[in-house]
Amino acid sequence: MTNEINKKSIGDSELWHILFFAITTFLLYLPVIHKYFVSDDFKVLNRVCLEKTILIGGFFRPLSDITIYLNYKLGGFNPIVFNSFNLLVHGINAYLLYIFCLRFEVTSDKSLNKQFAFITSLLFLTYPFHNEGVVWLLGRGASMSCTFALVGMIMMLSHYTLLKRILLTCSCYFIGLLAFESIIFYPFIILILLLIKGIKRKERILWVSGLLITLCIHLIIRFRISGSLTGSYGSGFLKGEPAIYLLNIVKTAGRLIFPPTGKWHWLAFVYIAILAIFGILFLQIVRPRSIRPSMKVIKGLWLCLCISCIIPVFTGVSTITSESDRMLYFPSVFLCMMFSMLLIFFFRNAFGKLLICFLLLSYNIFF
């Protein structure tokens, strides 16, 4: 009887969390829920909805196209239907990130860990610089690929058997790649998360081998169907000058925390200053106390952020408009985790945490 009551209370709690993130997402983006189609939307809508063509040469994102077709069957070309789907995916992602952070356990203190999970999800939900993945019809590919990446990370930390966890995570990786390529370096992120959790070498080899095999299968299918491995956007990979990619690193780093502006030199200067400040603060929170996150956790999340930014570095991120913001959707997961960890463990009193959290959320919502 007690077990049944506990299961029911947990189920009710999870339902409330899902509803909270979903409703908050719709309230936050209510001003743009009527937004009409723009740019390449018309080409894809014509191809998918009217011509009923999903698989084409040069691109391989069938999952995104399938959802567009299902939205069309549900409400015709009513933009509210398409926009609502995008918002629902974003709300689900915030919830999945909450669940992952709870299971990830950056600290042994359960109360602090819940605070960490909730604040991370709120920061991610309101994060303003991946909006293209939320409000643009075709940007949904980035948010959907992130959905399956998060589910895979949750499965990695589940209580299933090792083989089942690997198979489920590999399946999520494969499905996520069918939506967008932003998670292509996912195997290395999983490897880092395994290292943070102290998983033994033999098990890590099994995980990475499974994920790399999954990637190879995906690439073979992608090439056979689309005739290309990198797609139209990836044709210029590794053909630019090294200085271009160094500049893209600065641009990507700056755009992770600042709105687009034409003055990228100013952007770089302010970013370096803030990065130095946050570096000092992160060093301050590493203490020999059990409730503090270890340096291994901090370094690991930093590496996950860097790896997830490889794609935006190669493709380039605009510092003038919000174009290409969708490339920052997956990296924002780890950025928000790092900001939340800093907030939770650096500020000791509740008032300080609430004040900084309020300022961060206000900054996000404003932009």
Side-chain angles (χ1 to χ4, degrees):
M1 177 68 72
T2 304
N3 289 335
E4 290 179 0
I5 294 174
N6 289 336
K7 287 181 180 179
K8 184 178 179 181
S9 62
I10 292 173
D12 291 342
S13 175
E14 295 304 314
L15 178 61
W16 280 113
H17 282 120
I18 294 172
L19 289 175
F20 170 79
F21 288 117
I23 293 172
T24 304
T25 303
F26 275 86
L27 290 176
L28 184 64
Y29 286 94
L30 193 60
V32 294
I33 198 168
H34 293 88
K35 179 191 66 63
Y36 203 63
F37 310 114
V38 296
S39 188
D40 293 339
D41 290 350
F42 298 100
K43 292 182 181 179
V44 175
L45 287 169
N46 179 68
R47 172 174 60 81
V48 173
C49 303
L50 301 182
E51 297 178 358
K52 295 182 174 57
T53 302
I54 300 293
L55 302 175
I56 59 172
F59 278 91
F60 189 67
R61 298 168 187 167
L63 184 58
S64 178
D65 288 350
I66 289 171
T67 62
I68 289 173
Y69 181 73
L70 292 176
N71 288 166
Y72 167 72
K73 296 298 289 184
L74 180 64
F77 289 114
N78 186 345
I80 295 180
V81 175
F82 293 89
N83 294 333
S84 296
F85 179 87
N86 281 28
L87 297 183
L88 182 61
V89 171
H90 186 52
I92 290 173
N93 285 345
Y95 169 74
L96 292 174
L97 181 55
Y98 172 76
I99 296 299
F100 170 71
C101 289
L102 282 179
R103 296 189 179 186
F104 188 64
E105 295 183 340
V106 296
T107 174
S108 58
D109 188 299
K110 291 185 178 181
S111 176
L112 285 178
N113 205 56
K114 286 183 178 179
Q115 290 180 35
F116 165 72
F118 188 67
I119 292 176
T120 298
S121 300
L122 276 183
L123 291 176
F124 177 80
L125 188 70
T126 59
Y127 182 74
F129 308 130
H130 61 200
N131 264 350
E132 196 183 42
V134 183
V135 301
W136 184 35
L137 170 62
L138 300 187
R140 68 172 57 182
S143 58
M144 289 174 63
S145 67
C146 184
T147 302
F148 289 98
L150 288 169
V151 173
M153 289 156 60
I154 292 171
M155 290 298 103
M156 181 191 70
L157 300 175
S158 67
H159 298 294
Y160 295 127
T161 63
L162 175 61
L163 179 59
K164 190 172 183 178
R165 285 186 287 130
I166 292 176
L167 288 175
L168 287 171
T169 301
C170 288
S171 299
C172 289
Y173 179 42
F174 182 83
I175 297 171
L177 286 172
L178 297 179
F180 201 64
E181 302 83 8
S182 56
I183 62 168
I184 197 165
F185 294 105
Y186 189 66
F188 302 102
I189 289 175
I190 292 294
L191 174 60
I192 292 172
L193 295 177
L194 292 171
L195 286 169
I196 292 175
K197 302 306 291 183
I199 303 302
K200 294 180 180 179
R201 182 183 177 185
K202 185 177 180 180
E203 187 174 328
R204 296 199 306 266
I205 292 174
L206 291 175
W207 277 99
V208 175
S209 298
L211 289 166
L212 291 178
I213 291 172
T214 302
L215 176 60
C216 290
I217 293 172
H218 169 81
L219 291 176
I220 291 171
I221 295 174
R222 170 186 286 265
F223 183 77
R224 292 293 298 271
I225 293 177
S226 69
S228 173
L229 290 178
T230 58
S232 299
Y233 284 126
S235 58
F237 280 7
L238 301 177
K239 292 183 179 179
E241 296 292 330
I244 298 296
Y245 296 119
L246 289 175
L247 179 60
N248 283 347
I249 291 175
V250 175
K251 287 182 176 181
T252 301
R255 285 289 283 108
L256 280 169
I257 53 179
F258 292 116
T261 173
K263 302 175 181 178
W264 71 268
H265 294 88
W266 175 86
L267 188 74
F269 174 78
V270 177
Y271 168 75
I272 292 172
I274 291 182
L275 183 64
I277 294 172
F278 276 106
I280 295 171
L281 292 178
F282 268 116
L283 289 176
Q284 291 294 321
I285 70 173
V286 182
R287 305 282 179 82
R289 293 168 56 183
S290 60
I291 64 170
R292 302 286 187 180
S294 67
M295 182 59 78
K296 182 168 67 172
V297 173
I298 295 172
K299 287 181 178 178
L301 290 178
W302 175 254
L303 281 174
C304 287
L305 175 60
C306 292
I307 291 172
S308 64
C309 284
I310 292 176
I311 293 296
V313 166
F314 275 110
T315 59
V317 177
S318 175
T319 58
I320 300 175
T321 71
S322 62
E323 185 180 3
S324 66
D325 269 10
R326 67 192 185 281
M327 299 297 181
L328 303 179
Y329 196 93
F330 188 46
S332 66
V333 166
F334 305 104
L335 180 72
C336 292
M337 289 179 70
M338 294 182 67
F339 270 106
S340 177
M341 191 161 57
L342 175 62
L343 176 62
I344 291 299
F345 295 106
F346 184 77
F347 297 94
R348 298 180 181 179
N349 60 76
F351 177 76
K353 290 179 183 178
L354 287 173
L355 177 62
I356 300 302
C357 187
F358 173 77
L359 293 175
L360 285 174
L361 292 175
S362 298
Y363 176 84
N364 285 354
I365 294 171
F366 177 80
F367 282 110

